[in-house]
Amino acid sequence: MRNAKWRAATKAALALTGAAALAASMAMFLPGTASAGTTLGASAAEKGRYFGAAVAANRLSDGAYTTILNREFNSVTPENEMKIDATEPQQGQFNFTNADRIVNHARSQGMSVRGHTLAWHSQQPGWMQNMSGSALRQAMLNHVTQVATYYRGKIAAWDVVNEAFADGSSGARRDSNLQRTGNDWIEAAFRAARAADPGAKLCYNDYNTDNWTHAKTQAVYNMVRDFKSRGVPIDCVGLQSHFNNDSPYVSNYRTTLSSFAALGVDVQITELDIQNAPANTYRAVVEDCLAVPRCNGITVWGIRDSDSWRSEQSPLLFTSGGAKKAAYDAVLAALNAGGTTPPPTTAPPTTPPPTTAPPTTPPPTTPPPTGSCTATVSVNQWPGGFVANVRVTAGSSALNSWATTITLPSGAAVTNAWSANRSGNSGTVRFTNVDYNSQVGAGQTIEFGFQGTGTAGNLSATCA
Ligand code: G2I
């Protein structure tokens, strides 16, 4: 009973504010004592995570399918309906009919949605396949902007760019018409996505990036590290994790998850399926995710074996008849047994609290310089929620660190922030620099943002 109520509350919170509410609702409702969920979604949620499935719009009319979907999962990924050929079949003419069917179904059930995918070398409509150079770059960025804007506020995480690295040992980018527009096409796509939907987590997603020693894994890792160091807006890495005899699960998978997480991004297992669905391997994948605090969700690539893109391998958790397989039991047990630490919503402080008494020397008689920076806030408000972008500008001297405080009106609360550390979530909320934006040159500006519930009104920020 408690689980059912807890799950309903969590689903309601998810329906209201999407992914941002997930962590917050976890914090509010996490049971004080261990409890065992009876479905994948409820059990994952008790661990501060989601458990999702790839969904096909044309299966939503299959009652057996939707019964399992609605009972077991609290996140969905449209399997094909948000791809470029589906959403922009003719240049400049967008079609969201099938994607909307999935998004509306998910929202009606309080499930979050992973968007898949904004920029990809594959599944391009004919008009895009025939483009190159700056015209293609512009068309790609327009596609990212239009689709992310259309779904603004409804997508927990976007696979902004999919499968941009080559297979094999080169560690190189995959050759494609998009790659030939210039090596910076990926970061350009991420910047366009952030501008269009500041509240969505932005992921890079790929396959054969599970084995830590694989050149492709290292290449993606180096890109993400570079993006984080330069402030390119990336929040998460998706490991597709299509495991089969040629590309098997390996025991260094946990190292891969934790190594990406250590870069300061969330890690999501986005398209999990395993040839013949061995229970032990499914269990190991779940245990690995639960062992890494920033591994915040798992999605299986289909529900029943008959729904799979490679159904002959029977790689999923339910039989074609809809029965739970041994792998299902293993996953549920692993979720219920796993660590209880939900992923943090913001990076935890890196300095431990002092263990000795603070120094007793009197404060300096001259106050520290003030007014060394200024901050401005712009707010995008919708009924019940908002996104704020904050610009911090250094004065006539460079900053080595910065802090700003913003006072929210009563009833408004911050649910997540990006490119800043945050303390507090209502009333006066304090934001401080993260590593990569601590240095601001004289007269230069950096930006950070946050998402919230309620009505923000006109916000102003102090800066020091
Ligand atoms: O290939 C497995 C996945 C690898 N990672 C990216 C994912 O987006 C990809 O998903 C698969 C879908 O599961 C398939 O369903 O992507 C394929 C190609 O986009 C999908 O296949 C397509 C067929 O190519 C089309 O002929 C077909 O009309 O599925 C379509 C709908 O059934």
Side-chain angles (χ1 to χ4, degrees):
M1 200 55 213
R2 177 188 192 167
N3 284 338
K5 268 171 76 180
W6 182 87
R7 181 165 176 258
T10 303
K11 281 194 163 196
L14 273 170
L16 280 174
T17 54
L22 180 59
S25 63
M26 296 305 116
M28 281 176 351
F29 296 111
L30 256 186
T33 55
S35 61
T38 56
T39 66
L40 303 173
S43 295
E46 285 178 0
K47 300 293 153 59
R49 292 164 172 87
Y50 64 83
F51 206 100
V55 165
N58 63 11
R59 285 187 161 80
L60 289 174
S61 52
D62 173 344
Y65 179 88
T66 52
T67 296
I68 303 173
L69 171 62
N70 296 350
R71 186 186 70 218
E72 297 287 343
F73 296 95
N74 57 8
S75 168
V76 302
T77 305
E79 186 174 358
N80 290 299
E81 293 77 358
M82 285 185 178
K83 292 175 180 174
I84 315 173
D85 58 353
T87 49
E88 196 177 355
Q90 307 296 328
Q91 187 170 13
Q93 292 178 19
F94 291 85
N95 183 342
F96 297 111
T97 308
N98 285 326
D100 279 347
R101 288 172 65 193
I102 296 174
V103 171
N104 291 338
H105 182 91
R107 288 170 70 80
S108 76
Q109 296 290 318
M111 301 167 176
S112 58
V113 180
R114 294 196 82 262
H116 175 79
T117 175
L118 294 170
W120 192 19
H121 69 277
S122 182
Q123 299 296 113
Q124 290 183 1
W127 64 264
M128 187 179 271
Q129 291 176 34
N130 294 329
M131 290 181 90
S132 62
S134 58
L136 172 62
R137 172 69 71 98
Q138 204 45 52
M140 179 273 286
L141 293 175
N142 183 56
H143 180 85
V144 170
T145 300
Q146 299 295 328
V147 177
T149 299
Y150 180 84
Y151 283 113
R152 176 162 50 207
K154 295 182 175 176
I155 303 295
W158 266 113
D159 289 333
V160 177
V161 171
N162 196 39
E163 302 177 359
F165 280 81
D167 292 314
S169 58
S170 70
R173 294 282 183 85
R174 175 194 297 278
D175 180 50
S176 71
N177 60 348
L178 291 168
Q179 181 62 29
R180 289 190 292 271
T181 71
N183 208 48
D184 62 344
W185 74 276
I186 298 179
E187 60 193 84
F190 274 85
R191 293 185 204 281
R194 177 70 96 224
D197 186 357
K201 298 278 189 193
L202 304 183
C203 303
Y204 175 79
N205 190 52
D206 214 327
Y207 66 89
N208 282 353
T209 47
D210 315 291
N211 185 332
W212 179 238
T213 66
H214 196 299
K216 189 170 168 182
T217 310
Q218 293 297 311
V220 173
Y221 175 85
N222 288 332
M223 179 188 74
V224 175
R225 188 173 56 182
D226 171 53
F227 280 10
K228 291 298 288 184
S229 74
R230 291 189 294 113
V232 177
I234 184 168
D235 308 302
C236 38
V237 171
L239 304 186
Q240 294 184 9
S241 303
H242 294 290
F243 292 120
N244 56 34
N245 296 342
D246 296 327
S247 177
Y249 167 83
V250 286
S251 59
N252 68 30
Y253 187 59
R254 190 179 297 192
T255 301
T256 305
L257 297 174
S258 61
S259 299
F260 276 112
L263 292 176
V265 289
D266 289 341
V267 186
Q268 304 182 342
I269 300 170
T270 53
E271 304 185 12
L272 180 64
D273 49 18
I274 313 178
Q275 184 168 10
N276 300 321
N280 284 345
T281 314
Y282 264 108
R283 178 186 299 116
V285 169
V286 173
E287 288 174 350
D288 288 344
C289 181
L290 292 180
V292 176
R294 291 197 77 154
C295 179
N296 67 339
I298 300 174
T299 299
V300 284
W301 205 241
I303 296 178
R304 303 162 302 190
D305 285 333
S306 51
D307 303 317
S308 171
W309 67 297
R310 48 185 210 195
S311 56
E312 71 289 350
Q313 293 185 2
S314 303
L316 294 175
L317 300 177
F318 293 88
T319 67
S320 300
K324 296 170 181 173
K325 296 164 64 174
Y328 171 95
D329 296 331
V331 166
L332 186 64
L335 288 170
N336 285 331
T340 54
T341 316
T345 50
T346 54
T350 51
T351 45
T355 51
T356 53
T360 52
T361 40
T365 49
T366 47
T370 54
S372 55
C373 58
T374 54
T376 56
V377 193
S378 64
V379 173
N380 178 9
Q381 179 77 49
W382 61 84
F386 62 91
V387 161
N389 278 301
V390 186
R391 291 169 60 83
V392 175
T393 303
S396 52
S397 13
L399 305 173
N400 290 319
S401 65
W402 51 263
T404 98
T405 58
I406 296 173
T407 300
L408 298 172
S410 88
V414 179
T415 50
N416 69 323
W418 51 94
S419 302
N421 292 311
R422 165 174 65 100
S423 56
N425 68 349
S426 60
T428 298
V429 183
R430 180 177 156 90
F431 300 90
T432 55
N433 61 273
V434 288
D435 284 349
Y436 61 79
N437 63 15
S438 58
Q439 314 269 327
V440 188
Q444 301 295 300
T445 297
I446 63 89
E447 289 186 53
F448 72 91
F450 60 93
Q451 184 173 18
T453 53
T455 302
N458 285 327
L459 294 178
S460 59
T462 66
C463 191

